[in-house]
Amino acid sequence: MTGSAAIVFDQVELTAPDGRVILDHIDLEVPAGSMTALLGRSGSGKTTLLRMVNRLIEPTAGRVMVDSKATTDWDPITLRRSIGYVIQETGLFPHFDAERNIGAVLEIEGRSKQQISQRARQLFTQVGLDYATFAHRLPYQLSGGQRQRVGLGRALAAEPKLLLMDEPFGALDPLTRAEMQDMVRRLLQRLDMTVILVTHDLNEALYLASRIVLLEGGKVVANLPVEEFVGSQIAEVQSYVRAVRRGVLQESK
Amino acid sequence: MTGFLAQHGTEIIELTLEHLWLTGSAMLLAAAIGVPTGIWLTRHPRWAKPVLGVVNIIQTIPSLALFGFLLPLPWIGDRAARIAIAALTAYALLPIVRNTYTGIEGVDPTVLGVAKALGMTSGQRLRKVELPLAASFILAGLRTATVLAVGIATIAAAVGAGGLGEFIFRGVASVDNRLVLAGAIPAALLAIAADAGLGWVESRLRVPAPGRT
């Protein structure tokens, strides 16, 4: 592991008011500068875990440390503004045009119009959109992939050290998804960021992440460097890999 | 006909302006009370039912009776115009409060979740996300309330508040249909104009819906 941990989950538990255990004793370190994929089926707790990092959800026991400080000691507004956040395409503000969406974090921080517009132009280039063509389009006038590019630009606008991505490419067709994955990979190689990616897509995790954490029933069942994941002897990992690779294995027979 | 207009023309204009003033000031008051109340209810949803219930009941009171109830009140009862404005304000509250409340409640929770995740304060969420997305709803409430108030304001003449109802009451008393129409036609035109004008603003405020979400 390189350097220190950017995010630490320390004995994190979340119990619903009805007694249901959603997260069960999560101990996890996310190394600074890494991309960690949280992999697991729907309902395994991966999105819940992600949303604890920017304090949208607070644990019922244990603590989540960001930059060596418990999230409950952070001012939630300051914490959230310092963390990039990307979700599926529905996350854009429907009444903001692409430029205002990309600059949203800068706008709420109170930066000047000129600063925002300057930074927005840079971001359009970074995420591969032509400023003149797209800046003044509303989200509904963009394709799924273009919306996702705007969403990514918005997350990067304030130059956060931390980026949370929640199923960012879930709603895209396979070709657009592959393009977006390529772009994200290139982009993140240039930026020094710690990234957590929530996905149920094993191939996406293998392609983008440096570590894969497999969650099941609110527990961490595996936490492995990406190279060791597919060959792992852990039963849950094996069944996940088998389920995803079923079609591929049959073809190669 | 031309003789009638020559005789009553200036009066029609005067009473139309008076009518506009009564409904206009009542609408401003109702919006100033109703919109913040609707917003407050979204923050305290437990109060939504009782408060909407009360403004709902106000609307079931016959207007003539409401004018009568207000008559003995201090300050408000001193002047007929105050009675009229207070009653019209009370009637206008229901559509405004209800539409503000349901408009904000109807904002996509995903969008609000993102607003929170990006670090918007609750004030910023209200100003930048909730109010703009609910604006066309709120305006639809104002529009319903305005059309309603223009109609009810004609009854305000019964307590001496003036407005186009003057003509109608005089016409009924003297069995002169020309006088009734001199009040009714401008009132109807005002209602139509308010409906069309506010409808146009409403359509400008509507956020274009994505083809799919």
Side-chain angles (χ1 to χ4, degrees):
Chain A
M1 237 176 255
T2 56
S4 58
I7 304 164
V8 179
F9 296 92
D10 177 15
Q11 293 286 310
V12 167
E13 276 183 58
L14 184 70
T15 314
D18 61 10
R20 218 160 23 95
V21 176
I22 297 162
L23 291 175
D24 192 3
H25 282 92
I26 305 277
D27 268 321
L28 190 64
E29 291 195 1
V30 177
S34 74
M35 183 189 250
T36 300
L38 298 180
L39 189 69
R41 65 170 86 199
S42 308
S44 58
K46 51 194 194 304
T47 292
T48 310
L49 197 60
L50 182 86
R51 303 181 81 190
M52 281 181 169
V53 178
N54 56 0
R55 209 179 155 184
L56 291 172
I57 301 174
E58 284 179 21
T60 43
R63 47 190 193 151
V64 182
M65 315 281 289
V66 173
D67 254 353
S68 320
K69 192 162 127 190
T71 50
T72 43
D73 294 337
W74 279 87
D75 166 50
I77 301 292
T78 316
L79 177 71
R80 288 173 195 148
R81 285 181 188 171
S82 67
I83 298 177
Y85 187 68
V86 188
I87 63 165
Q88 279 189 17
E89 55 170 308
T90 46
L92 294 185
F93 297 118
H95 56 306
F96 285 12
D97 64 16
E99 181 174 26
R100 195 164 171 213
N101 260 299
I102 269 197
V105 182
L106 308 175
E107 180 183 326
I108 61 179
E109 280 181 340
R111 307 237 197 132
S112 75
K113 279 221 163 77
Q114 199 194 347
Q115 266 181 317
I116 297 174
S117 148
Q118 213 170 14
R119 177 77 181 127
R121 281 165 196 272
Q122 285 174 358
L123 289 159
F124 270 91
T125 317
Q126 271 191 332
V127 298
L129 286 176
D130 179 45
Y131 178 85
T133 314
F134 294 105
H136 300 301
R137 290 203 191 168
L138 287 167
Y140 83 102
Q141 295 164 316
L142 300 170
S143 72
Q146 288 159 354
R147 274 199 281 262
Q148 207 48 52
R149 285 172 196 266
V150 174
L152 184 67
R154 178 175 68 183
L156 299 175
E159 298 179 311
K161 289 267 139 222
L162 222 63
L163 181 64
L164 308 178
M165 304 177 92
D166 189 358
E167 302 268 11
F169 315 127
L172 303 177
D173 64 82
L175 281 177
T176 311
R177 186 187 304 198
E179 281 168 24
M180 290 296 297
Q181 289 166 344
D182 284 337
M183 185 197 68
V184 166
R185 205 158 106 137
R186 276 198 307 270
L187 204 59
L188 295 179
Q189 273 165 358
R190 287 208 305 267
L191 303 168
D192 177 30
M193 289 175 100
T194 309
V195 185
I196 301 185
L197 168 75
V198 163
T199 182
H200 53 238
D201 181 350
L202 176 63
N203 291 320
E204 183 168 285
L206 290 172
Y207 186 60
L208 291 175
S210 49
R211 284 193 86 78
I212 299 183
V213 174
L214 183 66
L215 286 163
E216 206 169 295
K219 284 195 177 108
V220 172
V221 290
N223 176 4
L224 299 165
V226 69
E227 320 76 69
E228 294 170 23
F229 192 80
V230 173
S232 161
Q233 296 304 305
I234 300 170
E236 287 90 343
V237 175
Q238 286 184 336
S239 56
Y240 204 96
V241 173
R242 252 201 320 273
V244 175
R245 295 271 160 109
R246 207 167 42 181
V248 184
L249 291 175
Q250 267 170 359
E251 272 167 33
S252 60
K253 263 182 194 167
Chain B
M1 185 68 195
T2 37
F4 180 83
L5 277 182
Q7 198 187 339
H8 295 285
T10 27
E11 205 182 355
I12 292 178
I13 292 167
E14 270 171 26
L15 290 179
T16 305
L17 289 177
E18 197 169 28
H19 204 88
L20 265 178
W21 184 75
L22 290 176
T23 36
S25 30
M27 290 316 300
L28 285 180
L29 258 177
I33 300 168
V35 174
T37 306
I39 294 170
W40 187 83
L41 289 181
T42 61
R43 269 60 182 161
H44 305 85
R46 221 186 307 166
W47 287 90
K49 252 199 165 158
V51 171
L52 288 172
V54 169
V55 289
N56 211 341
I57 288 170
I58 293 177
Q59 230 174 26
T60 64
I61 305 173
S63 42
L64 211 47
L66 186 56
F67 288 125
F69 287 144
L70 295 172
L71 212 49
L73 290 186
W75 195 77
I76 290 181
D78 292 350
R79 289 236 181 110
R82 287 182 196 157
I83 296 176
I85 291 170
L88 293 176
T89 304
Y91 280 122
L93 281 179
L94 175 67
I96 296 176
V97 174
R98 190 190 47 204
N99 278 37
T100 305
Y101 174 71
T102 50
I104 293 179
E105 283 290 291
V107 172
D108 182 356
T110 315
V111 173
L112 278 182
V114 170
K116 196 172 174 185
L118 294 185
M120 284 197 192
T121 62
S122 65
Q124 286 173 329
R125 287 203 292 275
L126 180 68
R127 273 180 289 116
K128 291 181 189 289
V129 182
E130 291 173 297
L131 283 179
L133 288 176
S136 71
F137 252 93
I138 298 172
L139 221 94
L142 281 170
R143 184 174 155 205
T144 312
T146 308
V147 174
L148 195 81
V150 170
I152 294 177
T154 54
I155 301 173
V159 291
L164 290 161
E166 284 271 344
F167 276 131
I168 300 176
F169 278 100
R170 256 196 273 154
V172 171
S174 59
V175 203
D176 184 346
N177 277 339
R178 286 179 310 174
L179 277 175
V180 174
L181 290 175
I185 292 172
L189 290 177
L190 277 184
I192 292 169
D195 191 49
L198 291 172
W200 179 78
V201 180
E202 186 191 324
S203 70
R204 297 296 307 255
L205 288 175
R206 197 170 298 134
V207 175
R212 61 202 175 88
T213 43

